[in-house]
Amino acid sequence: MTTNFKLTLLIENDLELLNQIEQIDGSKLSLIESSHYDGDTTLIPIVITTTAIIIKQLALILVKYFDSKKQIKIVYKGMQITCNSVDEFDKIMTRLTQLDENE
Amino acid sequence: MSDNTLANYLSATRFPYIIDNSMDEYYSIIFSKIKDNISVNFGISPEIYNVYSLYRQCEIIKIGNDISIIYDRYLGETFHLMSKILMLPHENERAFGLCCKLLSEAYRRNGKFKEALPIACVAHDFIGEIYIDDNDKSFIITRKYLQKYFHNHSSSEIIFECNFADIHLVTVISESFAVLHEISHFLFKEKLIETYIKDHTEECEQIIDEDYSIFTYLLTGEDRLKSSTSFDSDFSRQNLLEETICDNLALELTISIFKNDFSSDQIAIAILLNSYHLIWLKHIDQLACNSEKKSAFSSLIKRANSIGKLLEKKLLKNEIDSHLIIQFSSIISQYNYVFFEKINSVFELHNDSKLTEKCDLIFGEYINKDFIDASIIIDSLIGWNTYKGDVTENKKNGA
């Protein structure tokens, strides 16, 4: 992946997690305060500008998150794709990266 | 907005969307009325973005200090079609196809392609019956009709009898109420209506605590009513209080914005219908999300009840024998028959082993292999065309 890749995630409104993601070198994170996201008030959307390296660092941060049985949702073209593990996260990100390169 | 966060957010959440200029003028008129009102009353001036996508929601977002309302025209289209199917007896038979389409869309949004497939296949067979003319798909004819009234007639001339023929008027009020309800949530969360909340909490608490309204009974039937007497863990009393306060405020704002254009009867019927449409759509989303039918339905019954009580208090006043009561009752009993029973039949399609085997045989390989292939198949089956473009470039549609 040569260019910046924009990723929209739905994650729990967890300040510690958000801080960790924000501290990844080179990442640009925008928190979106939404009046309504499928009526689920515990999940919040974030838009993050990433590169291949940032995605790897993101996966490292999410290991603990998945270990505590939490899930994230990657939002891509109107679909919410649920990830329950780092393996799933890696698999989906690899596919999205391929699509981004093709476009 | 200086960066592209909003554009990125929209392209992730509102795909596939179709750019369509045909209704810009209509939305410009409606949104200018809403924006003028909230600017004067609350001192906020959000941008309004029009999209048309499977997400089908009205959402208010805040990025930094920028507030934006994202309104999805597909919500209005769905309201319009549902009202038409509900109110015109000869249209009722289209409900089953619409239920299939909406449930498969909800699965698709949640990335549940395997569950979406059999329902989408059945929906595909009904597409020709769901949309039977241009009036259903884009309702341009009725929009133009409405624009004519706003432009060419003074307020006093816009007098319609409160009958079911003017469904497009119900749609315009419904769409406005949906936007105003979300704005109310935003004001609530941003602590911009503290005095209003303080002044109305007791009234709204009473509404929650009062006996179930006649409307709830008609919608739900006695058995379901009995099963819904306690709060679900995911829908607390506090949630319901916020919803009721926001409904209350949105109702007052809708009346104040449209009091010169529509009669209070029209507003009452439109808001009742809008509320039930929203509850029913939420019911479908919850079926697609977690399959916990009973739990989700219990929360929705409480919501239906509070709206029914609000309308009784605000719009019916003491006119117990009002013709509105009869019309309300008629709408709601129809609602139960036309939509709630149909969606249960659609949900049962999952138990149709012949259907699921056949779908698996034809599409299984693609559905299971990759989520992109799966989404293309589902979109195609439910009749969505996609268009690529930046919705924020030229679709900003506020006054």
Side-chain angles (χ1 to χ4, degrees):
Chain A
M1 185 168 54
T2 50
T3 54
N4 285 346
F5 182 69
K6 276 92 179 178
L7 179 65
T8 300
L9 297 176
L10 280 176
I11 56 172
E12 270 194 40
N13 194 355
D14 178 336
L15 198 60
E16 193 184 342
L17 177 70
L18 289 171
N19 281 339
Q20 281 183 307
I21 296 174
E22 205 158 27
Q23 281 166 15
I24 300 174
D25 197 24
S27 75
K28 188 165 177 278
L29 181 146
S30 302
L31 187 65
I32 295 172
E33 292 175 55
S34 166
S35 66
H36 184 290
Y37 204 93
D38 278 359
D40 192 333
T41 51
T42 61
L43 292 178
I44 56 159
I46 61 169
V47 174
I48 181 166
T49 305
T50 64
T51 61
I53 296 168
I54 290 172
I55 286 171
K56 284 201 183 310
Q57 289 177 284
L58 192 56
L60 289 174
I61 291 172
L62 291 172
V63 170
K64 271 189 187 173
Y65 193 73
F66 291 130
D67 281 348
S68 53
K69 306 247 184 263
K70 290 176 180 172
Q71 58 178 214
I72 63 159
K73 291 181 180 179
I74 296 171
V75 188
Y76 178 78
K77 294 193 174 176
M79 291 174 277
Q80 292 179 26
I81 307 150
T82 305
C83 299
N84 291 301
S85 68
V86 171
D87 285 349
E88 282 181 1
F89 180 76
D90 277 342
K91 193 177 157 191
I92 290 164
M93 288 317 303
T94 305
R95 181 73 176 110
L96 294 185
T97 306
Q98 285 168 355
L99 290 167
D100 188 53
E101 282 171 350
N102 290 338
E103 283 176 8
Chain B
M1 227 156 277
S2 56
D3 61 22
N4 290 323
T5 302
L6 179 63
N8 294 332
Y9 179 64
L10 289 180
S11 70
T13 56
R14 261 67 174 187
F15 191 92
Y17 56 78
I18 298 164
I19 289 185
D20 174 5
N21 296 321
S22 60
M23 288 182 283
D24 281 359
E25 190 185 354
Y26 160 81
Y27 280 110
S28 174
I29 294 167
I30 302 302
F31 290 153
S32 70
K33 282 172 175 278
I34 291 174
K35 284 179 72 171
D36 288 349
N37 186 288
I38 60 169
S39 172
V40 169
N41 285 321
F42 307 108
I44 58 167
S45 303
E47 294 292 353
I48 301 182
Y49 294 89
N50 248 315
V51 297
Y52 183 89
S53 78
L54 274 178
Y55 188 57
R56 199 193 355 89
Q57 297 283 0
C58 175
E59 182 184 18
I60 298 193
I61 62 168
K62 192 176 172 195
I63 303 172
N65 291 321
D66 295 320
I67 306 160
S68 308
I69 298 173
I70 304 163
Y71 183 74
D72 200 320
R73 294 177 185 192
Y74 185 42
L75 183 65
E77 182 185 305
T78 309
F79 284 161
H80 184 73
L81 193 55
M82 287 171 69
S83 298
K84 202 171 169 185
I85 289 172
L86 185 75
M87 292 196 211
L88 305 175
H90 62 279
E91 305 272 2
N92 285 178
E93 61 196 39
R94 290 201 277 163
F96 184 80
L98 181 65
C99 287
C100 290
K101 185 171 184 288
L102 294 174
L103 185 61
S104 51
E105 287 171 3
Y107 280 129
R108 187 248 188 239
R109 283 196 300 276
N110 285 286
K112 295 186 172 180
F113 302 111
K114 207 171 174 182
E115 288 88 342
L117 181 63
I119 314 290
C121 286
V122 177
H124 184 72
D125 287 342
F126 282 90
I127 292 291
E129 291 176 34
I130 298 170
Y131 298 110
I132 53 176
D133 56 36
D134 287 345
N135 197 347
D136 293 329
K137 185 69 184 169
S138 60
F139 50 109
I140 292 167
I141 298 165
T142 54
R143 302 279 181 177
K144 283 187 177 164
Y145 176 64
L146 193 75
Q147 284 165 15
K148 188 183 82 179
Y149 271 91
F150 273 127
H151 280 302
N152 300 336
H153 294 251
S154 69
S155 295
S156 59
E157 286 179 285
I158 305 174
I159 300 169
F160 292 95
E161 283 186 26
C162 188
N163 58 47
F164 294 164
D166 294 309
I167 294 168
H168 47 290
L169 299 182
V170 168
T171 306
V172 74
I173 298 169
S174 295
E175 291 188 286
S176 305
F177 182 78
V179 173
L180 288 163
H181 178 84
E182 287 309 311
I183 289 173
S184 302
H185 274 296
F186 175 81
L187 296 167
F188 190 103
K189 287 189 169 65
E190 293 290 311
K191 302 188 190 306
L192 294 171
I193 49 168
E194 294 289 273
T195 309
Y196 184 89
I197 294 169
K198 195 177 163 194
D199 292 347
H200 291 82
T201 296
E202 194 180 333
E203 179 190 10
C204 292
E205 293 263 16
Q206 277 174 7
I207 284 170
I208 294 170
D209 290 334
E210 276 174 9
D211 292 339
Y212 283 92
S213 86
I214 180 174
F215 309 127
T216 321
Y217 174 77
L218 284 166
L219 179 70
T220 60
E222 196 177 3
D223 290 342
R224 287 179 187 163
L225 193 61
K226 279 177 185 167
S227 72
S228 64
T229 48
S230 61
F231 282 92
D232 303 327
S233 57
D234 62 339
F235 196 79
S236 68
R237 186 184 174 85
Q238 192 55 37
N239 291 137
L240 185 58
L241 184 60
E242 179 178 334
E243 289 295 339
T244 309
I245 288 171
C246 291
D247 279 334
N248 202 350
L249 180 57
L251 181 60
E252 289 175 9
L253 291 172
T254 307
I255 293 167
S256 97
I257 290 171
F258 290 107
K259 66 185 173 196
N260 294 327
D261 301 318
F262 305 116
S263 72
S264 62
D265 284 5
Q266 287 169 328
I267 293 174
I269 284 184
I271 290 176
L272 181 80
L273 263 180
N274 165 275
S275 306
Y276 283 88
H277 288 343
L278 283 172
I279 287 168
W280 188 71
L281 291 171
K282 183 75 186 164
H283 178 52
I284 290 178
D285 288 343
Q286 289 181 340
L287 283 178
C289 272
N290 55 22
S291 306
E292 296 289 333
K293 285 170 73 177
K294 201 168 178 180
S295 164
F297 203 80
S298 171
S299 301
L300 295 174
I301 290 170
K302 290 178 177 63
R303 209 62 184 87
N305 184 61
S306 70
I307 290 164
K309 295 303 290 185
L310 260 183
L311 288 169
E312 281 179 49
K313 275 183 185 290
K314 297 278 175 185
L315 292 171
L316 299 186
K317 299 190 175 68
N318 295 321
E319 299 170 42
I320 299 301
D321 59 346
S322 159
H323 63 286
L324 263 182
I325 293 267
I326 298 165
Q327 293 196 347
F328 274 23
S329 305
S330 164
I331 289 172
I332 293 163
S333 48
Q334 269 290 92
Y335 216 103
N336 202 14
Y337 165 71
V338 174
F339 289 122
F340 278 96
E341 287 184 9
K342 294 281 190 313
I343 194 64
N344 288 335
S345 313
V346 171
F347 202 72
E348 293 301 319
L349 288 172
H350 287 303
N351 298 327
D352 184 337
S353 55
K354 278 187 183 170
L355 174 69
T356 48
E357 279 170 22
K358 197 175 169 187
C359 292
D360 270 351
L361 196 67
I362 302 171
F363 299 110
E365 184 189 343
Y366 305 100
I367 289 284
N368 296 324
K369 198 174 97 185
D370 185 88
F371 60 89
I372 299 297
D373 290 346
S375 70
I376 291 168
I377 288 169
I378 302 295
D379 289 349
S380 160
L381 285 170
I382 57 178
W384 269 85
N385 298 313
T386 60
Y387 181 92
K388 284 185 180 178
D390 180 357
V391 77
T392 61
E393 279 292 311
N394 53 8
K395 299 317 294 170
K396 196 187 290 182
N397 193 348

